[in-house]
Amino acid sequence: MIDTNIKAEYEKYDALMPIQHAHIDNKDFPYRYYKNISPAKDVTLVFLAGGTGLADSFFLLFSSFADKYNLLTFNYPKGFNTNAKLADAFAALLKQLDIHNVYLVGQSYGGLFAQVMAKRHPESLKGLILSGTCSMYNDLTYNGIANITKFINPKKLKKNLRKDRLVPNILLPPFLKLVFKKVSSGYKTTQDFSSVIDLLKESITKEYWYHMDLLLGDLMNEYGTHKPVDFETFQNEVMLIFSEQDTFFCDELRDALIRLMPKSTVVHNIDGGHLALIVNPENYINMINTFIYERN
């Protein structure tokens, strides 16, 4: 059963940022955009979800910034099945909406896509806020390479795409609930994530998972192509947030991301593991606000 308070908050969020549609390269690009008429800072935060691709799964977090900034988010549209194509379409959306002073807030896969976007379209962005993620920088020893290839390799992609075709849609929401329960085990959280998944179940389909696995697999084409010089534009405008309890990516991959981003602000002291932004939202929100206020 969906928690009534969660449902009420989602209805407020949906009213504040209703789904709109842009046409990019003759394809549909659904998005949510909130234009704050009197923002504390003339900044737009763009929230990029992790491997589920479900932007609305973090709606309670997004809503916390509505009194201070402009907000933009979206599920990754199925019309763009590589990270390069998606980044180009996203840049076109920003131009179409005439959005400036953009900070990408990327979690896990969202942090990796943010790097693709920043490399391809630095003129469209002001900064990056990345959490629970790594990099496509190939300045790694064997241990780092072994860790990254656990997530992106041709054999894993083929296996995942085959499973995506076979798994019934009805099993996907319970699977996500189990994953969240496992990742957040040992932490107290005020967010009823089970209710959030139930609210979003119509978006949780095997077709969309197939699309997300295509994007994740396409990261193989980005690996080794990112260099520190690609991100020099963003000196002092990047914050990297790591939780010491997050074991999703090894330390060497985190260190490679730090080396990739010149003069970034690096935070290690947030509890919560891979989903610290949900498990520890107040700390996460305060860090982002401090970072934005110091620079704008």
Side-chain angles (χ1 to χ4, degrees), residues 135-191:
S135 78
M136 293 291 98
Y137 192 19
N138 63 354
D139 179 22
L140 299 170
T141 62
Y142 175 80
N143 185 50
I145 294 171
N147 189 248
I148 193 69
T149 53
K150 285 197 309 183
F151 303 102
I152 53 170
N153 65 74
K155 186 180 291 187
K156 181 177 177 65
L157 173 61
K158 186 176 181 180
K159 181 180 178 181
N160 286 347
L161 294 177
R162 184 167 61 248
K163 285 195 300 185
D164 293 339
R165 293 189 181 99
L166 298 175
V167 177
N169 284 336
I170 196 171
L171 296 181
L172 298 180
F175 174 75
L176 275 184
K177 292 178 185 180
L178 286 173
V179 170
F180 175 75
K181 185 175 181 180
K182 180 180 179 180
V183 173
S184 62
S185 177
Y187 302 105
K188 292 182 179 180
T189 174
T190 57
Q191 180 170 333

Side-chain angles (χ1 to χ4, degrees), residues 77-127:
K78 288 185 283 188
F80 308 96
N81 59 6
T82 71
N83 291 280
K85 290 178 182 177
L86 179 58
D88 293 347
F90 177 30
L93 176 68
L94 292 175
K95 185 175 181 180
Q96 193 174 114
L97 297 177
D98 194 28
I99 295 176
H100 306 285
N101 292 335
V102 172
Y103 285 85
L104 302 185
V105 184
Q107 160 69 16
S108 195
Y109 163 74
L112 289 164
F113 171 67
Q115 294 168 57
V116 176
M117 177 66 182
K119 181 189 175 186
R120 293 181 69 85
H121 298 282
E123 75 288 346
S124 298
L125 310 175
K126 185 170 185 187

Side-chain angles (χ1 to χ4, degrees), residues 7-18 32 55-60 62-63 71 73-74 200:
K7 184 177 180 181
E9 290 299 319
Y10 182 77
E11 288 171 351
K12 290 179 186 176
Y13 162 78
D14 191 43
L16 182 73
M17 298 175 63
R32 294 183 184 272
D56 289 350
S57 61
F58 302 123
F59 77 89
L60 288 171
F62 302 167
S63 303
L71 307 176
T73 194
F74 49 84
L200 304 180

